[in-house]
Amino acid sequence: MNDHNETPDPVAQLLRKAGKRPVPPADMVERVRARVHAEWKQEVSRRRQRQFLAIAASVFAAIGAGWLMLQMNSSPTATLVAHLQDGTRVIAVGERVETGAGEGVVLVASPDIGSAGVSLRLAPHSAVAWSADKHVELLSGQIYVDSDTASADNHMLVVNAGAVRIEHVGTRYVASVDGGTLDVTVRDGTVRLQTGEREALLHQGEQGHLELRAPDIDRIVRTTVSPSGTSWGWVDALAPQIAIENVDLHTVLVRLAHEAGLTVEYASPSVETAAHATVLHGPMLDLPPKQALQAVLATTSFVSEPTQDGSVLVHAR
Amino acid sequence: MRLGTLGRKDDGDTGERQLVDRMRKGDSGAFDAYFNEYFPRLYRFVLPRVGSDPQATEDICQEVMVRAMRRIDSYRGEASLFTWNCQIARNAITDYWRARKRRDEVEVLVEDDADIGAALESLELDISQRPDEQQSRLEVLRLVEVALDRLPGAYGNALEWKYIDGLSVAEIAERLGQSVLATQSMLARARNAFREAFSILTGVEADRVAARADLT
């Protein structure tokens, strides 16, 4: 049909007389979009958690039924050991979790297996299998273990890479399998590596390199790695969102710095006191921790600068 | 209320429900489509109701859309998505005027204040007044905007692109990601929908208003 052959239309005349409808200014659009988008993301996250709880409830019900069957038939049943942080899946012993080319995933260990406070971040192109309640086999790629230092001894989660057993001693570390080699990098705390009766400790900022085919703990190759360097990029990208609404600045800075492998220092006691007294408002921070830290400070009367020893020094503008 | 029915007699109801379903599932494309479509409409809805104050408009639009996100699970498609947002906006606008009353120490209750009441109820006046008898040229033209914003789906944008921006049917089809034939058909439905909406708002036919000399 030809556009130019249409009969003049009163609707067209009226619309032309009225002209274009007013549109909001571009800067207003961007400000409102950012705020609404943050709220939408939070709502999606809350919805997934609700769905997860519903799924978990039904799975637990199924397990309850399975337990009854077990009593009757003496057949084994699966134990739930973890769930994906976004609430889309629960993990049982014997199951694999794999990531593709896209984003990695965050797994939260179940308190029911005695690993409360332990979370795992699985990098893209990685695979793990839960071989027993507290044992994860790293099959390929990289895994980041973040344990609660306050309860480490009682909440151990062991990562196995071939014949090497990796235990956290209240720490955060990455284990990386690449071909026939294993690298373990410690962000803070201490990690114990074991093969048979032999063991070695790696401390904050250390990376240990081992051959997996015939691992010799006594011949571990040690190098130094910054706890806040660029090699932690994929880990930081999977860092949890941090709530700031009605939270004081000091608490938020410490949490963000912790996620970024940094520590917070203040230029003076008065600056620290002011940071404690500054209460923040706003949506969850959906940024990698270093960027989030700068974004938060930009809204306050404080600025920061990095120091040589891996700290972030906060002072007044 | 007659305006409430405008957004429901459309073939966009299913599309709106699907859009909301996709948003609930975390589809970023759905969020962008929702925001890009409804924020400008909401802006035009709020702006004249807060005395054309841009800061108040921004604050209220943001509050409305944030509330909509929090209540997204409660949207059942019983009203159009825009009507649903407008219902939330009316409450926010009422809160705005109440807060102003407190700040300014105004003694008169908001509903007793003729100007404020008129602003809050302007849409009701829009329906009851007859443009050929009472309304100014600007008011009639504003009602064209209101009618366009009340049209379902992409009807309002398509009409604006066609008759104000002068885009060809092929160009509109490309923007909408559909065939030229489907777009031609959609434009015909959009014209009819606009006629109906404008008639409901003003009480007179669009053809009659378009012919008025004082609008030229």
Side-chain angles (χ1 to χ4, degrees):
Chain A
M1 191 177 288
N2 189 334
D3 291 1
H4 302 290
N5 291 339
E6 291 176 2
T7 310
D9 187 334
V11 168
Q13 289 179 282
L14 191 54
L15 291 175
R16 287 184 186 122
K17 287 169 185 170
K20 283 184 77 70
R21 290 169 289 175
V23 293
D27 56 340
M28 181 193 292
V29 172
E30 289 317 306
R31 284 193 299 271
V32 175
R33 180 195 295 277
R35 176 71 183 90
V36 177
H37 187 265
E39 188 64 33
W40 169 68
K41 294 268 285 183
Q42 273 192 64
E43 183 56 34
V44 169
S45 175
R46 286 192 286 263
R47 194 166 192 272
R48 285 176 174 162
Q49 285 174 358
R50 289 195 295 271
Q51 286 177 331
F52 166 73
L53 289 174
I55 292 169
S58 60
V59 170
F60 279 118
I63 288 173
W67 182 82
L68 286 175
M69 292 293 290
L70 183 66
Q71 299 306 304
M72 294 166 64
N73 302 330
S74 298
S75 59
T77 186
T79 304
L80 288 182
V81 289
H83 65 266
L84 295 192
Q85 192 175 51
D86 64 9
T88 56
R89 183 181 165 191
V90 291
I91 316 294
V93 169
E95 289 189 347
R96 284 169 65 112
V97 179
E98 294 181 42
T99 55
E103 295 177 340
V105 296
V106 180
L107 299 120
V108 179
S110 168
D112 297 340
I113 60 168
S115 293
V118 178
S119 69
L120 308 171
R121 298 176 202 177
L122 195 58
H125 291 298
S126 302
V128 293
W130 227 284
S131 53
D133 280 5
K134 294 185 178 184
H135 289 261
V136 177
E137 306 293 326
L138 177 58
L139 305 174
S140 63
Q142 300 183 80
I143 191 169
Y144 175 77
V145 178
D146 185 349
S147 72
D148 179 354
T149 53
S151 56
D153 288 345
N154 295 328
H155 298 89
M156 184 67 69
L157 187 78
V158 177
V159 173
N160 296 311
V164 182
R165 174 187 167 99
I166 311 164
E167 295 178 355
H168 56 84
V169 189
T171 190
R172 297 178 297 161
Y173 70 92
V174 162
S176 174
V177 171
D178 184 11
T181 63
L182 167 70
D183 288 290
V184 177
T185 313
V186 184
R187 200 167 205 181
D188 59 22
T190 304
V191 169
R192 182 185 298 116
L193 303 183
Q194 286 182 306
T195 53
E197 297 300 314
R198 310 293 299 170
E199 72 170 43
L201 296 178
L202 292 172
H203 302 285
Q204 181 180 26
E206 271 193 319
Q207 182 177 70
H209 179 83
L210 275 172
E211 293 293 329
L212 276 177
R213 287 178 188 164
D216 185 347
I217 288 289
D218 295 328
R219 298 183 65 183
I220 191 167
V221 178
R222 296 171 187 263
T223 52
T224 302
V225 173
S226 165
S228 58
T230 54
S231 63
W232 303 93
W234 74 265
V235 172
D236 293 348
L238 290 171
Q241 292 184 22
I242 291 181
I244 65 169
E245 180 63 25
N246 276 327
V247 182
D248 69 85
L249 177 63
H250 170 78
T251 302
V252 170
L253 291 182
V254 167
R255 287 195 62 189
L256 290 172
H258 176 75
E259 282 297 337
L262 299 165
T263 55
V264 176
E265 289 181 7
Y266 292 97
S268 69
S270 63
V271 172
E272 182 171 3
T273 302
H276 278 279
T278 302
V279 177
L280 301 174
H281 297 281
M284 302 272 279
L285 293 172
D286 191 12
L287 290 169
K290 283 179 187 166
Q291 285 99 308
L293 195 145
Q294 292 306 322
V296 165
L297 283 173
T299 66
T300 70
S301 58
F302 302 91
V303 290
S304 71
E305 59 183 87
T307 65
Q308 297 287 340
D309 62 351
S311 299
V312 54
L313 180 65
V314 178
H315 51 86
R317 286 183 195 278
Chain B
M1 178 172 158
R2 285 181 292 174
L3 267 182
T5 65
L6 290 178
R8 301 190 58 203
K9 287 188 272 181
D10 65 282
D11 50 10
D13 271 5
T14 306
E16 288 188 339
R17 280 197 295 270
Q18 287 174 346
L19 182 72
V20 170
D21 281 344
R22 286 168 53 209
M23 285 172 65
R24 287 171 180 149
K25 291 171 184 166
D27 183 336
S28 293
F31 173 83
D32 288 342
Y34 163 78
F35 187 86
N36 294 339
E37 180 61 36
Y38 293 103
F39 177 58
R41 290 202 212 181
L42 191 60
Y43 170 83
R44 290 187 287 269
F45 180 84
V46 173
L47 187 66
R49 288 167 172 78
V50 293
S52 297
D53 180 339
Q55 187 57 54
T57 302
E58 177 176 344
D59 292 345
I60 289 174
C61 286
Q62 178 174 294
E63 179 61 24
V64 168
M65 297 191 97
V66 164
R67 286 189 203 176
M69 292 302 98
R70 289 176 184 161
R71 300 178 191 175
I72 197 164
D73 271 346
S74 69
Y75 180 72
R76 297 282 178 267
E78 291 156 354
S80 78
L81 203 44
F82 182 58
T83 300
W84 186 62
N85 276 277
C86 288
Q87 286 164 354
I88 302 172
R90 284 178 203 287
N91 294 333
I93 290 165
T94 302
D95 292 344
Y96 166 78
W97 286 113
R98 282 183 181 147
R100 273 181 64 96
K101 179 185 73 72
R102 272 201 300 274
R103 277 205 305 273
D104 300 343
E105 299 296 326
V106 175
E107 296 295 330
V108 183
L109 291 173
V110 65
E111 60 269 30
D112 295 335
D113 185 296
D115 290 336
I116 295 172
L120 290 174
E121 300 303 325
S122 62
L123 200 53
E124 304 293 342
L125 282 177
D126 293 344
I127 297 167
S128 62
Q129 289 183 341
R130 297 175 64 84
D132 56 339
E133 295 169 0
Q134 301 173 38
Q135 292 176 329
S136 68
R137 171 182 181 274
L138 286 176
E139 204 162 1
V140 171
L141 298 182
R142 191 180 70 78
L143 289 180
V144 173
E145 292 174 11
V146 173
L148 284 174
D149 279 337
R150 285 280 170 168
L151 296 183
Y155 283 4
N157 287 340
L159 288 175
E160 198 171 78
W161 294 336
K162 171 75 178 158
Y163 296 118
I164 300 174
D165 295 341
L167 265 58
S168 68
V169 175
E171 288 169 322
I172 295 170
E174 190 177 344
R175 283 194 181 188
L176 295 173
Q178 60 187 29
S179 71
V180 169
L181 202 59
T183 303
Q184 200 93 47
S185 171
M186 193 202 86
L187 279 167
R189 291 197 305 276
R191 278 192 294 270
N192 289 336
F194 176 81
R195 277 197 179 90
E196 186 183 355
F198 191 79
S199 173
I200 289 172
L201 280 167
T202 63
V204 294
E205 300 296 325
D207 301 20
R208 198 175 142 201
V209 175
R212 280 178 55 183
D214 63 350
L215 287 175
T216 57

